[in-house]
């Protein structure tokens, strides 16, 4: 069978009503985005419960529903803290070095990200206005590494935030990269900048919801936070 014929078959499968109930689809998407699993891992977990779902079907579910679930989750999140950490990390896409620009707040909430081939002021001026618009507020403190592009972009945007620079000051962003690195290894690197951007946006929304920093809270508080996160997921993924 030709590659075009396979692609047409996949498109037809997406349009065809799923024989699985929405609860199964939501659970499969949650497993893939919540944990560092491959599509085949999720297939095995569902098979253990007596559900015969191919990994290709799971991949299509994630592609079809993941971004919509993520948008709904973002609407349910509280406003970000007013200290933002911006940083870039190198990702390899088809053998080419690209830069993943990321913004997190002081509590580890992933605010936004942008995959770009460059590391300069022009990209900073793409990320920062997008970030300000999405959050609806300006930060009081902006923490970055010593890349001059951030300061130049901040001056052009006339940000009044106090700007702190340095590797140690930006440990929050550096530590936040570890989650992306784990997924990058499991996926055997991202296949394109567009697919990386789409996946990481969906992944970030789920990570923000379920990242409870359990080592910092008591067991009773963890149970409350976990129940609240599960309720947010149910609300965000409920059929319209």
């Amino acid at each position: 069978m030709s590659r075009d014929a396979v692609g047409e078959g996949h498109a037809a499968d997406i349009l065809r009503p799923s024989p699985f109930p929405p609860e199964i689809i939501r659970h499969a998407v949650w497993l893939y985005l919540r944990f560092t699993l491959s599509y085949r891992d999720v297939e095995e977990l569902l098979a253990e419960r007596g559900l015969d779902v191919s990994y290709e079907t799971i991949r299509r579910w994630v592609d079809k529903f993941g971004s919509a679930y993520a948008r709904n989750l973002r609407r349910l999140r509280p406003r970000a803290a007013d200290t933002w950490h911006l940083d870039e990390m190198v990702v390899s896409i088809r053998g080419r070095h690209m830069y993943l620009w990321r913004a997190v707040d002081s509590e580890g909430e992933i605010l936004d990200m942008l995959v770009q081939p460059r590391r300069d002021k022009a990209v900073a001026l793409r990320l920062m206005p997008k970030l300000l618009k999405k959050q609806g507020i300006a930060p009081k403190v902006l923490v970055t590494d010593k890349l001059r592009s951030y300061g130049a972009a901040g001056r052009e945007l006339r940000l009044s935030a106090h700007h702190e620079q340095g590797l140690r000051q930006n440990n929050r962003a550096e530590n936040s990269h570890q989650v992306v690195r784990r997924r990058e290894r499991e996926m055997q690197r991202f296949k394109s900048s567009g697919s990386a951007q789409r996946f990481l946006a969906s992944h970030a929304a789920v990570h923000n919801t379920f990242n409870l920093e359990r080592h910092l809270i008591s067991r009773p508080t963890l149970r409350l936070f976990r129940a609240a996160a599960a309720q947010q997921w149910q609300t965000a993924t409920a059929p319209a």
Side-chain angles (χ1 to χ4, degrees):
M1 182 180 293
S2 71
R3 184 175 300 177
D4 289 343
V6 171
E8 290 173 2
H10 287 177
D13 286 344
I14 290 174
L15 295 174
R16 186 184 303 127
S18 173
F20 294 95
E23 292 79 7
I24 300 301
I25 297 174
R26 292 201 300 265
H27 187 63
V29 174
W30 177 75
L31 283 172
Y32 184 72
L33 294 177
R34 171 70 182 92
F35 303 103
T36 310
L37 299 171
S38 68
Y39 293 120
R40 293 180 188 272
D41 291 334
V42 177
E43 178 183 344
E44 290 291 327
L45 289 171
L46 295 180
E48 192 274 334
R49 296 189 176 195
L51 299 167
D52 183 18
V53 186
S54 75
Y55 72 93
E56 277 293 333
T57 296
I58 296 164
R59 180 185 64 78
R60 291 195 291 271
W61 286 348
V62 172
D63 288 345
K64 183 177 181 181
F65 299 107
S67 59
Y69 292 167
R71 282 194 300 272
N72 292 339
L73 284 172
R74 284 191 287 269
R75 294 191 192 104
L76 298 172
R77 298 301 295 163
R79 177 170 288 185
D82 57 14
T83 297
W84 296 357
H85 298 252
L86 275 63
D87 196 31
E88 332 81 51
M89 61 180 285
V90 176
V91 293
S92 180
I93 299 177
R94 294 189 179 275
R96 181 185 181 190
H97 278 183
M98 303 282 284
Y99 293 98
L100 174 60
W101 294 63
R102 299 175 71 248
V104 302
D105 72 6
S106 56
E107 297 181 2
E109 184 94 356
I110 301 171
L111 305 179
D112 209 348
M113 62 193 65
L114 189 63
V115 180
Q116 290 288 300
R118 298 183 304 279
R119 186 171 174 259
D120 56 19
K121 175 185 170 183
V123 181
L125 281 171
R126 286 191 62 188
L127 174 67
M128 293 171 71
K130 179 170 173 272
L131 180 60
L132 292 166
K133 181 179 180 180
K134 182 178 289 187
Q135 297 304 317
I137 59 170
K140 291 183 179 178
V141 179
L142 193 64
V143 186
T144 71
D145 57 21
K146 293 188 177 181
L147 182 67
R148 294 181 180 179
S149 301
Y150 291 117
R155 287 190 295 273
E156 186 159 326
L157 294 171
R158 298 183 180 180
L159 290 181
S160 60
H162 173 62
H163 187 190
E164 297 181 3
Q165 292 179 285
L167 185 60
R168 290 188 178 181
Q169 289 92 327
N170 214 18
N171 279 345
R172 171 60 81 176
E174 293 288 339
N175 292 338
S176 181
H177 291 328
Q178 295 174 12
V179 178
V180 177
R181 286 291 183 218
R182 288 196 294 269
R183 292 310 306 239
E184 185 184 28
R185 287 194 296 270
E186 180 60 44
M187 299 169 73
Q188 299 180 11
R189 303 191 183 280
F190 301 115
K191 304 304 184 289
S192 70
S193 57
S195 64
Q197 183 83 42
R198 287 191 298 273
F199 167 76
L200 291 171
S202 298
H203 175 266
V206 175
H207 175 77
N208 288 342
T209 301
F210 291 94
N211 181 32
L212 307 179
E213 298 195 328
R214 55 191 302 166
H215 61 291
L216 300 177
I217 56 180
S218 67
R219 188 71 187 179
T221 302
L222 174 62
R223 285 196 293 269
L224 291 173
F225 284 2
R226 184 179 284 161
Q231 182 57 55
Q232 284 188 24
W233 174 256
Q234 291 298 323
T235 300
T237 59

